[in-house]
Structure formats: C-alpha cells, structure tokens
Amino acid sequence: MAGTPKPLSISMRLQRIAELARQMPDVALQTLAYHIDVDFLHEAYRRTRKDGAPGVDGRTAKEYEVNLQGNLKTLLDRFKTGMYRAPPVRRVHIPKGSGKTRPIGIPTIEDKILQRAVTMVLEAVYEQDFLPCSFGFRPNRCAHDALDALWKGTMSVGGGWVLELDIQGFFDALDHKHLRSFLDKRVRDGTLRRAIGKWLNAGVLEEGNIRRPKTGSPQGGVISPLLANIYLHEVLDKWFEEEVKPRMRGKSFLIRYADDATLVFANEDDARRVMDVLPKRLGRYGLTLHPEKTRLIDFRRPSERGDDEDDSPGRGGHTFPLLGFTHYWGRSRKGRWIVKKKTSSQSLSRALNAIGDWCRRARHAPVWWQWRQLVSKLRGHYAYFGVTGNGRALASFRYWVVATWRKWLSRRSQRGGVTWDRLRLILARYPLPWPRIVHSVYRRAAKP
C-alpha cells in the first residue's frame, strides 16, 4: 500500500532499544516485545546454530526449515498471545576431565530461535549496563580480551595477590527469585518476562524422567549465558566496583568470564578482607564458593618475594589458571620480569585425549580425509592457544598429535605398523601445520 512506512531493519531496532536503555539507565522498560516480528525471528533463526543435536521433540533445523515462514508465524503468534509452551530441555553429559562430566541442556530448535530473539532484545538493554570487567558471552568481547586485560592489570600492580574465585555449580544454583528481582530493575515487558519464566520452569529431561528444579538455568540454553551475566552483574560486578574498590587501600581489579572470576589486589590485607566477606556476599544470593578451588595466591614478582627463579608451572605454587592457561612470572628476552602464560596441563591433556579418541574412531577413513580434519583441529588449537611465549606448549601439542596419528594409522591392519620413516613420507604429502602465534602482544602493542 502506498504510503506504508517500511519496517526498520533489525539492526536499527536493536540500536533504538540500546539508545532508549542508555538514556534511561534507572528505568525498567515495559514495551520491548513489539520489536519481535516474523522478520526478527528470521534473523534469530539465521543466528541460531543449525547443526546441533535435536531437543526432546526430535525435530532438526533442516526439518523446521521446510516450512520456515509458516513455522515462524505460528511461533510468533504463540509467543505474543502467551500460548507458547516451553518444552523440557534434554540433558546430556559431556566429559569434563578428571573423570567428571558437565551437564549440557539441549533445547528444541523452536526454543533456540525464540530464546535467540529474546536474547537479542535483552542484550541491547544490558550491554548499556554491564561493566568492563565482564567478558564472557558478550558481543564484540572474547576470552583473549579478558586475558589481555588480566595481563595489563597484573603487570601494572607487579602481580599482587590473586584471588581465584570458583562458584560451586553456579548454573544449577542460580536462584530464580533473585533473578526475577534483578530483571525487575530493567525489564518489565510482560511478554518477554512470561517467556523467560516458562524457560526457567520448563524442567530437564534426563534418562526418561522430567525434573523441575527450583533453581538453575540449563547450560546449553541460548539465553542461559545472558541470564548468568545479569545475575553476576548484580551479585559480583557492581558490588565489587561500587562497594569494594572504594574501600581498598591499594589498587584492585576484577576479571570475570561467565562464572569464572579472578580478583587481583596490590595489597595482601585488601585481598584477605575481600576473601573473608565473599562467602557471605554470595551466600545471600544462594551461591557457594568451592572450598578447594577458591584460593589466594601470592603472585608478586619473584624479586619482591626474594626469589630469583621464575614461576614456571611445576616449580612452585605461585601460578594460577584462567581460561585454559596457566599464568606465571618469567624472564623476557631482555631479562625483565613479565607475566607469561602457557597452555595449562589440564587443557593440554583434554585436547590430546580428544585427538586420541578421534583418531581411534577415524582410523579406517582415507588418509587424505583424516589429514584434512587434523589440519582443522591443529589450526583451531593454534587459534586459541597461539599466544606470545607459548610456542613450546604448541610444539609439544603438535608432536603428540603426530605421534597419536601414527599410533592409530598403525592399527588399520595386521600387516605391521607405520614406522616413523613411513610417517615422514605421509607428512611430506600431507603436511600438518606448524605452531603459529596468532595473538601477539607485540602486534597488540603496535595498534594505536
């Protein structure tokens, strides 16, 4: 029809929500769901991972896409009228290392799409509120941004005292009542809140039984990381920045990636005071510190501790892990003390075990196909762990990948194994990539 205004693009809608939230930082927004229409759901579907396992309904993304327009229209109608019913999340367990497993929830494809749409709206609001200390599951932020901030912070305070914080079973302990009260501060749109409430109460399907816990948000849900960030923004981030830091005698800072947090203090007394009050602070919101994994580390420069040796892992207890790396003091090429990081032993073991399992399963596949997959796996490892100073760990990883590949190629038949000489011929035809430093501190320093 002539004169009918053209709908705003999805990015323009999200910008408007963000601008509104920025202009009214202390106001709870009540009209947000009207931004979600069929076009918005199309964009949410585009951003949704399509190759994941199906949920409790067994429906795949490929099947859903056969009548995508009609399915999205029906989904929108049910969402807007309140007729949408959140199905239980199918729970599976994946290996975590040390014989333990991590429970992962698998929503239905329809749940994923609607959760993605609601997450897009909520992100536009909360990105105006979240503090610079949080990095996990946020737009335009990644683990290496957190690692870079940690490096700069620890260097600025000479290492200081590091409080390694571990919240026991955070995603299972997240209290729904407190989460609703946090959401009340910024989002009171009835349609959005009704959908979030249904997801929190949908329950978990495991081994044929449905459980409806009173707390928690299943890991694997599209909206769960954002809800976790909202929760810890109120419980930890704001509290530390607004109440704790002003009372500290020396410098201090917090780095949080999802539920992994590291607090650094220039003053030991400050660190111990915060360590004493943290259990009470978290306990008020139903959270518990892990008694063994929460610890205070003397991370001062070795020279300040009266120690002339570096802190390379295995030489002492003055190291700490974060985001797959072990952080320690070592000498630079010019002989200065600097904070270094290397692949943690746990991360290295987990990665090599995964390579071993894959090589065993794929040992009868064509060599050229195995090679292509291993190239992708090595490049993926380098893309994350390829940081300045970590070359030795990367070289060790590549060596053991090659050795593992040889081991399982040798078991393809009973006619004798693949010798190292034979493997060299294979590698000459199918070369595996050498370690590469992807995240260079020198390139970062050169940026304006």
Side-chain angles (χ1 to χ4, degrees), residues 173-185:
L174 188 148
D175 187 277
H176 295 175
K177 181 179 178 181
H178 288 303
L179 177 60
R180 292 188 184 98
S181 70
F182 296 152
L183 288 167
D184 283 342
K185 296 180 180 181

Side-chain angles (χ1 to χ4, degrees), residues 236-291:
L236 185 61
D237 300 355
K238 281 178 63 178
W239 171 74
F240 184 81
E241 293 293 331
E242 297 176 3
E243 298 185 35
V244 174
K245 283 182 72 173
R247 293 178 169 86
M248 298 292 97
R249 297 172 184 171
K251 287 184 179 180
S252 62
F253 65 92
L254 162 69
I255 300 293
R256 182 176 65 79
Y257 193 94
D259 59 326
D260 290 329
T262 298
L263 294 80
V264 182
F265 304 85
N267 186 291
E268 181 183 4
D269 290 339
D270 288 342
R272 295 196 179 279
R273 285 164 56 203
V274 173
M275 192 174 184
D276 288 340
V277 300
L278 259 175
K280 298 176 184 177
R281 172 66 185 180
L282 297 181
R284 186 186 306 175
Y285 298 96
L287 304 178
T288 306
L289 287 175
H290 196 292

